[in-house]
Amino acid sequence: MRLAWTLAVVAAIAWSGGATAQSLEETVLPLQRSGAQSMVRREGPDVVVVDGLNWEVRVTDPAACTVRITDRSRPAESRIRSDWGTGPVKPSPNLEALYKEIYLGRVIPGDINKVPQVISTRNGVVVEQIVDANWRLAGSPGDEVWCQFWPDGSKSCSDSLTVERISIARGLPDQDERTTRVDRALVHLYGDLCKGAAKRVPF
């Protein structure tokens, strides 16, 4: 389903309660947390911290809709047990990413689609899936839509971002509310906050 069609449907459903427009840094949270509610505290213009998770969400380039997410609780070291789990515990440098940046202005709104989440396969054939589980946000060919930055100065990037709207966890009591939050955030993001990339082709 294209986002353009979804704009009208979700706007009528999700905004019928007259919700106030959220800032960019708050709007990305449902997309990063599968629709879970977030309690935040503001620490300055374009910066919020998510209570409980201690995530810092910072808009680094408002015009380009670039958001940086940093886990403030990330330890400098991790402790691992040597000798395949039988030896003493030793400190080791934490090799997890320092932070993630999402370049939402590079996403092409007209190319946002729902994509399935495969639950199980048999002999290479999908036997169970949730057909509308995720949104796929893609950029122009070659664009980096999000990157993780590592302690050694390197980064790993992707030209698309998958956002979970329906969890594979069964029986979540607030699943419908979570899905609505994700859809509403996406509509607000590309209906009000970010214009999106001009589509380019590699020729």
Side-chain angles (χ1 to χ4, degrees):
M1 183 196 313
R2 298 288 185 180
L3 182 66
W5 185 87
T6 306
L7 282 169
V9 175
V10 176
I13 296 173
W15 288 352
S16 59
T20 57
Q22 289 185 315
S23 64
L24 176 57
E25 59 273 19
E26 292 174 283
T27 301
V28 300
L29 284 171
L31 305 181
Q32 292 299 294
R33 302 196 61 213
S34 305
Q37 282 191 303
S38 300
M39 299 297 293
V40 302
R41 64 181 187 273
R42 184 161 294 280
E43 293 199 346
D46 302 323
V47 181
V48 296
V49 175
V50 184
D51 287 335
L53 297 176
N54 205 23
W55 286 2
E56 176 191 286
V57 185
R58 177 185 297 268
V59 178
T60 57
D61 187 341
C65 281
T66 299
V67 177
R68 178 179 295 176
I69 301 176
T70 305
D71 180 359
R72 289 186 173 180
S73 298
R74 178 191 179 277
E77 293 182 334
S78 58
R79 300 183 68 80
I80 60 173
R81 190 172 294 278
S82 59
D83 296 329
W84 302 99
T86 62
V89 174
K90 296 181 178 180
S92 175
N94 188 344
L95 300 179
E96 294 179 356
L98 292 172
Y99 58 87
K100 173 166 63 175
E101 284 190 343
I102 310 173
Y103 311 106
L104 294 162
R106 298 179 183 176
V107 173
I108 304 168
D111 284 357
I112 296 175
N113 284 304
K114 284 180 182 172
V115 293
Q117 173 67 52
V118 174
I119 307 299
S120 62
T121 61
R122 184 178 297 117
N123 298 324
V125 177
V126 174
V127 295
E128 186 180 7
Q129 65 177 340
I130 304 173
V131 294
D132 55 351
N134 302 311
W135 287 109
R136 182 177 184 273
L137 285 63
S140 294
D143 272 349
E144 297 170 343
V145 172
W146 67 275
C147 295
Q148 292 188 94
F149 292 80
W150 307 95
D152 63 1
S154 64
K155 64 179 182 178
S156 60
C157 302
S158 174
D159 62 1
S160 67
L161 177 67
T162 299
V163 174
E164 183 181 78
R165 64 186 299 269
I166 299 177
S167 174
I168 62 173
R170 305 303 174 92
L172 290 178
D174 61 343
Q175 180 61 76
D176 290 344
E177 291 84 356
R178 284 174 176 245
T179 300
T180 297
R181 288 186 202 109
V182 171
D183 292 347
R184 180 172 57 198
L186 200 58
V187 169
H188 182 43
L189 191 65
Y190 290 105
D192 303 313
L193 299 174
C194 303
K195 299 300 182 183
K199 187 168 186 176
R200 300 195 303 271
V201 293
F203 52 81

